[in-house]
Amino acid sequence: MAASTSGSSGQGTVAFEEGQLERPRWTGETPLSLLVGALISFKPLYSVMKFGARQVLISTAEKTNIPWREMTRKILESDVYKEMESIEDTSLVYPDYYLNPFHAYDEGNLSWLAAAEAEAATMSMVRRAIPYASSLDEANQIVRGNWLKAIEEHHQKYSQDIVIRDILDIGCSVGVSTRFLADKFPAAKLTGLDLSPYFLAVAQFKEKQSNPRTNPIRWIHANGESTGLPSKSYDIVSIAYVFHECPARAIKNLVNEAFRLLRPGGTFALTDNSPKSKILQELSPVLFTLMKSTEPFLDEYYLTDIEKVMTEAGFIKVTTILTDPRHRTVTATVPY
Ligand SMILES: C[S@@+](CC[C@H](N)C(=O)[O-])C[C@H]1O[C@@H](n2cnc3c(N)ncnc32)[C@H](O)[C@@H]1O
């Protein structure tokens, strides 16, 4: 019998089903995973798959009423480029894993096209996670709502005497997760941090076009593995949908850096693909091959025991919840 984990859909409690395995068969050192790896490493085939993956992404998004090409065009034709100067740290040295082709973009996350498409891609990810939702809002209520609820409940349970004053969103991309955090915790000061100055430029541009906030969001171009920010300066550090894009050594560094940045009693929250998700374990061969062709570190992510990495970094109360059918949220506390 497959185990199941409870999560709230925002309209009552539903169970998100776990599969029978520890992780999908198409990851790690299994014959299936090695076969997919060999196919992807064959360059001509890789180019076709990369192209296919991109077409699938765009057409599935548009089928669910996400105007991918229209959103992209609007950003590319805007004044977003002017934000770059105030955002980019030109002395930043990128970690080598970040310079790989990625998500079917030759320059990875370091391009205007990737930045202009990132919000539509995020919406699409949320829609894919909840195919039975009738709208993006409904899907967000589950995916983002349950993630935020897991953070809030963990903090209330283990750090109720700590007022949430400062929140850091590492790997904030174009600011979608940062804005969700800012809306959920309006009294807190939010910082969004990312390695891509293009993504941050879009984040800053979009935020400038929105209603002003009492606490404006600050955007920082830095490596989350070694931010240069002062120790013990945040009450919550969140890392959403970043780890599956990182090699194991970066995941470890990011967790250690989060520990350093949090105040005693502070809460760390990671959300990303769950290796135990029944849906991910049963993904069709075509889909998982396409996915692996654009996500070079997926295997390393699935093979990393995140809870162990967190415990080794010094975190306590490490708690994992399947917050939607595809994603887990792992929360943890820095001891007092
Ligand atoms: C899928 S996006 C995150 C999405 C966003 N957090 C959300 O929930 O909508 C992953 C992001 O991680 C960033 N990233 C990857 N490695 C990083 C690192 N070492 N430091 C900071 N950002 C990193 C990438 O630039 C990218 O913007």
Side-chain angles (χ1 to χ4, degrees):
M1 230 322 262
S4 68
T5 311
S6 285
S8 164
S9 70
Q11 298 166 329
T13 299
V14 294
F16 300 123
E17 210 177 340
E18 292 187 350
Q20 309 270 5
L21 310 169
E22 276 307 297
R23 66 182 70 84
R25 232 176 239 117
W26 44 267
T27 62
E29 295 293 312
T30 63
L32 179 60
S33 177
L34 294 174
L35 173 69
V36 175
L39 287 175
I40 294 167
S41 63
F42 181 55
K43 277 260 156 45
L45 196 59
Y46 168 72
S47 305
V48 175
M49 276 193 282
K50 203 174 66 167
F51 180 75
R54 205 176 139 66
Q55 297 314 307
V56 168
L57 265 181
I58 298 175
S59 66
T60 17
E62 291 189 342
K63 267 187 221 143
T64 54
N65 297 327
I66 296 164
W68 181 295
R69 281 171 287 193
E70 176 62 10
M71 288 173 74
T72 306
R73 187 189 59 75
K74 272 199 181 144
I75 293 284
L76 290 176
E77 290 177 4
S78 74
D79 282 339
V80 68
Y81 311 96
K82 292 184 185 157
E83 307 296 330
M84 188 57 124
E85 206 187 338
S86 64
I87 285 282
E88 188 178 21
D89 173 359
T90 48
S91 66
L92 185 83
V93 179
Y94 293 99
D96 52 3
Y97 77 86
Y98 201 70
L99 300 170
N100 283 316
F102 193 73
H103 281 171
Y105 303 106
D106 289 340
E107 295 95 11
N109 289 329
L110 296 170
S111 79
W112 285 115
L113 181 62
E117 293 190 327
E119 182 155 6
T122 303
M123 291 173 167
S124 197
M125 174 277 283
V126 169
R127 283 297 251 150
R128 266 197 315 277
I130 318 291
Y132 52 86
S134 57
S135 66
L136 175 66
D137 269 358
E138 193 185 324
N140 263 326
Q141 269 172 33
I142 301 171
V143 175
R144 302 291 188 170
N146 288 348
W147 157 65
L148 293 166
K149 193 163 171 243
I151 299 177
E152 185 180 42
E153 286 183 354
H154 186 104
H155 197 80
Q156 276 169 357
K157 191 164 175 192
Y158 298 114
S159 324
Q160 74 259 62
D161 53 331
I162 295 195
V163 180
I164 302 169
R165 285 176 292 151
D166 299 283
I167 303 179
L168 177 65
D169 183 22
I170 296 182
C172 66
S173 175
V174 292
V176 178
S177 47
T178 327
R179 278 191 284 276
F180 270 105
L181 286 160
D183 293 344
K184 175 78 178 179
F185 303 104
K189 291 199 191 92
L190 256 294
T191 303
L193 180 146
D194 204 277
L195 264 176
S196 170
Y198 301 88
F199 286 16
L200 289 166
V202 173
Q204 181 164 283
F205 177 74
K206 293 210 75 163
E207 191 60 13
K208 277 186 185 168
Q209 293 187 317
S210 314
N211 290 335
R213 295 177 194 271
T214 320
N215 291 314
I217 300 174
R218 177 182 171 213
W219 307 103
I220 298 183
H221 181 213
N223 184 352
E225 297 175 75
S226 167
T227 59
L229 295 167
S231 299
K232 301 187 179 151
S233 49
Y234 291 92
D235 305 300
I236 293 178
V237 172
S238 169
I239 304 191
Y241 307 105
V242 177
F243 281 5
H244 75 278
E245 299 187 0
C246 297
R249 62 181 185 283
I251 293 178
K252 222 172 156 193
N253 292 340
L254 286 161
V255 171
N256 287 334
E257 181 67 351
F259 187 85
R260 185 186 73 77
L261 292 169
L262 280 161
R263 299 182 174 120
T267 300
F268 176 52
L270 134 83
T271 195
D272 215 315
N273 295 349
S274 170
K276 297 215 175 127
S277 152
K278 185 170 190 287
I279 288 182
L280 291 180
Q281 289 185 3
E282 294 177 0
L283 219 56
S284 83
V286 174
L287 280 182
F288 66 68
T289 307
L290 283 181
M291 201 158 91
K292 286 185 86 167
S293 73
T294 65
E295 302 273 9
F297 300 109
L298 220 43
D299 275 345
E300 288 197 44
Y301 167 72
Y302 281 115
L303 288 172
T304 303
D305 182 341
I306 299 282
E307 289 89 347
K308 185 161 171 256
V309 172
M310 286 192 192
T311 307
E312 283 171 359
F315 284 107
I316 57 170
K317 314 289 184 199
V318 179
T319 310
T320 302
I321 309 177
L322 201 56
T323 35
D324 69 57
R326 287 179 180 233
H327 305 118
R328 61 177 167 182
T329 298
V330 189
T331 47
T333 300
V334 173
Y336 287 93

